[in-house]
Amino acid sequence: MLLNRQISLITLTASLFLMPLLTGCEKAPKAPKQDVKAANETAFEIDPSLCDFHQKTCDKKLGETLISLAISPEDTPSEKPLTVTFSSSEPMEKLQVRVEGRDMFMGVIPLILSETSKNTYQGTLIYGSCSSNYMVWRLIASFEIGGQSKTIMYDFLADNPAKNG
């Protein structure tokens, strides 16, 4: 009897742990957004707060420091090498960068960046694909500026088609 209770408890615990992993990629959120067509011609809406690398770099300010992110190719395709360029108006020390799924766990992808010019860092990123055609990734950078620890996050859409007009 005790053995059956232990097995039931183990089964319940394993089920609760595995359930979130089986949910798959999330569908497009339902907020006011701009309509676009995905590669499979299914219409979906893009959250306008996401970085759009087709237009420009994604810029954020931390105090007086301007920090910019650029990714090429601009449509940020899944399962293909992407060039990530991260730059700052101030010197950064102890830079650590990782990429994660924003809305679901897709693993933690460390991103190794090398300084290519003053306050500019570059590296290569590859991430997996999502069957829903709407996967938002989050780049998280931690660093020090002037001896103070800072963290900044950038959200962007994988497989982001160019906007027409």
Side-chain angles (χ1 to χ4, degrees), residues 1-47:
M1 187 74 137
L2 181 60
L3 182 59
N4 285 342
R5 285 186 184 176
Q6 288 176 332
I7 291 173
S8 296
L9 184 58
I10 291 170
T11 303
L12 176 63
T13 303
S15 297
L16 290 174
F17 175 74
L18 293 174
M19 192 89 78
L21 298 176
L22 300 175
T23 59
C25 299
E26 206 169 281
K27 293 186 180 189
K30 295 179 181 175
K33 297 168 181 124
Q34 180 179 1
D35 284 336
V36 296
K37 291 231 176 195
N40 67 359
E41 297 300 317
T42 302
F44 63 94
E45 298 173 353
I46 294 179
D47 180 343

Side-chain angles (χ1 to χ4, degrees), residues 14-160:
S15 297
L16 290 174
F17 175 74
L18 293 174
M19 192 89 78
L21 298 176
L22 300 175
T23 59
C25 299
E26 206 169 281
K27 293 186 180 189
K30 295 179 181 175
K33 297 168 181 124
Q34 180 179 1
D35 284 336
V36 296
K37 291 231 176 195
N40 67 359
E41 297 300 317
T42 302
F44 63 94
E45 298 173 353
I46 294 179
D47 180 343
S49 70
L50 300 176
C51 293
D52 181 2
F53 302 112
H54 294 285
Q55 302 301 317
K56 57 183 172 71
T57 60
C58 198
D59 300 331
K60 293 194 176 194
K61 284 198 89 167
L62 281 177
E64 295 300 312
T65 306
L66 178 66
I67 301 174
S68 300
L69 173 68
I71 298 181
S72 178
E74 293 77 17
D75 60 340
T76 57
S78 298
E79 300 179 339
K80 302 222 188 288
L82 305 172
T83 300
V84 175
T85 305
F86 192 72
S87 59
S88 172
S89 62
E90 300 290 327
M92 292 186 287
E93 295 180 11
K94 300 180 182 177
L95 177 62
Q96 294 184 331
V97 181
R98 69 184 188 274
V99 176
E100 311 176 348
R102 181 189 71 179
D103 303 317
M104 67 168 300
F105 183 75
M106 295 286 284
V108 176
I109 305 166
L111 181 56
I112 308 301
L113 299 177
S114 300
E115 192 167 17
T116 57
S117 62
K118 185 178 180 182
N119 303 334
T120 300
Y121 304 83
Q122 202 167 65
T124 302
L125 168 68
I126 298 176
Y127 48 71
S129 65
C130 178
S131 62
S132 77
N133 292 324
Y134 196 92
M135 179 63 202
V136 177
W137 290 94
R138 175 169 284 165
L139 182 139
I140 303 165
S142 300
F143 48 89
E144 288 184 5
I145 292 181
Q148 292 186 336
S149 295
K150 307 281 185 184
T151 299
I152 195 163
M153 294 182 276
Y154 295 86
D155 295 341
F156 59 94
L157 181 64
D159 306 301
N160 186 5

